[in-house]
């Protein structure tokens, strides 16, 4: 007889400590998502319809992010395995928004959707290797995106150049005007 077995249910106590195959597969998927992304935002999506969820996923994909729903405990294990900081308040109906590029773009999509649907709440996240509170994660949506910053930089760099071109072309314009006036005087004479 094997100790610790309940023959009526065909379950042995050693089997109770074996990880569920689905959980192992989910842990691998979470780990892959963490490895391939620059960070993650966590949102509570309770109350979203299937259509609203699809719209949110589509908008996030366009922003270079993707939304996944995983078991919170599995995510906690994956974060620990990846030596990433722990995210507070991982409870209830959490969705994980992994971003591959700019966290600001993903945050802006979440903010826009949360304002229009009024069913999405920020839980927290990880960006730049740091754990974020709900307020910190939400604050990313108010920052300028990488593209906006690049456009501002180009404008700042180009402004003095435009001024220099204007100043440098001033004497040339004056010379052309003087030559035109001289040519008119000679042709009139």
């Amino acid at each position: 007889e094997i100790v610790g077995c309940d023959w009526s249910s065909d379950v042995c106590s050693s089997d109770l400590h074996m990880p569920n195959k689905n959980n192992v597969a989910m842990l691998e998927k979470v780990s892959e998502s963490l490895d391939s992304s620059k960070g993650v935002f966590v949102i509570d999506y309770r109350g979203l319809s299937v259509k609203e969820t699809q719209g949110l996923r589509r908008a996030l994909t366009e922003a270079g992010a993707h939304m996944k729903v995983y078991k919170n405990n599995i995510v906690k294990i994956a974060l620990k395995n990846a030596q990433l900081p722990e995210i507070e308040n991982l409870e209830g109906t959490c969705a994980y928004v992994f971003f591959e590029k700019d966290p600001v773009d993903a945050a802006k999509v979440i903010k826009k959707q949360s304002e229009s649907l009024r069913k999405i709440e920020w839980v927290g996240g990880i960006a730049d290797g740091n754990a974020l509170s709900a307020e910190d994660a939400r604050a990313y949506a108010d920052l300028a995106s990488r593209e906006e910053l690049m456009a501002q930089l180009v404008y700042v760099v180009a402004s003095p150049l435009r001024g220099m071109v204007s100043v440098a072309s001033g004497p040339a314009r004056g010379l052309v005007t003087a030559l035109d006036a001289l040519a008119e005087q000679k042709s009139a004479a």
Side-chain angles (χ1 to χ4, degrees), residues 169-185:
S169 65
R173 257 184 268 133
L175 179 62
V176 169
T177 305
L179 290 174
D180 280 344
L182 186 61
E184 282 182 28
Q185 279 180 351

Side-chain angles (χ1 to χ4, degrees), residues 73-164:
N73 288 336
I74 301 292
V75 172
K76 289 177 186 178
I77 294 168
L79 290 172
K80 189 172 188 174
N81 290 348
Q83 298 178 340
L84 290 168
E86 184 177 323
I87 301 172
E88 300 289 321
N89 304 320
L90 290 185
E91 300 166 353
T93 53
C94 291
Y96 299 88
V97 178
F98 298 92
F99 50 89
E100 288 92 25
K101 298 176 186 166
D102 191 358
V104 175
D105 293 338
K108 286 182 182 294
V109 169
I110 296 168
K111 179 181 178 182
K112 182 178 177 185
Q113 294 290 323
S114 68
E115 288 173 350
S116 67
L117 299 173
R118 302 206 181 277
K119 298 177 186 176
I120 299 171
E121 295 292 326
W122 294 85
V123 175
I126 296 176
D128 302 318
N130 298 311
L132 305 172
S133 67
E135 292 79 28
D136 295 339
R138 189 180 309 112
Y140 270 80
D142 296 326
L143 297 175
S145 71
R146 185 175 192 284
E147 287 77 22
E148 291 168 334
L149 290 174
M150 292 302 285
Q152 290 173 2
L153 178 64
V154 167
Y155 177 78
V156 167
V157 169
S159 291
L161 293 176
R162 267 195 303 274
M164 286 174 38

Side-chain angles (χ1 to χ4, degrees), residues 38-75:
K38 290 190 175 181
V40 61
F41 290 121
V42 185
I43 57 172
D44 183 336
Y45 67 101
R46 185 184 353 231
L48 286 184
S49 69
V50 171
K51 186 176 180 180
E52 291 167 337
T53 303
Q54 289 171 339
L56 174 58
R57 285 181 194 267
R58 209 172 2 263
L60 286 167
T61 300
E62 290 172 11
H66 59 278
M67 185 176 88
K68 300 284 185 182
V69 176
Y70 295 124
K71 291 182 180 178
N72 297 330
N73 288 336
I74 301 292
V75 172

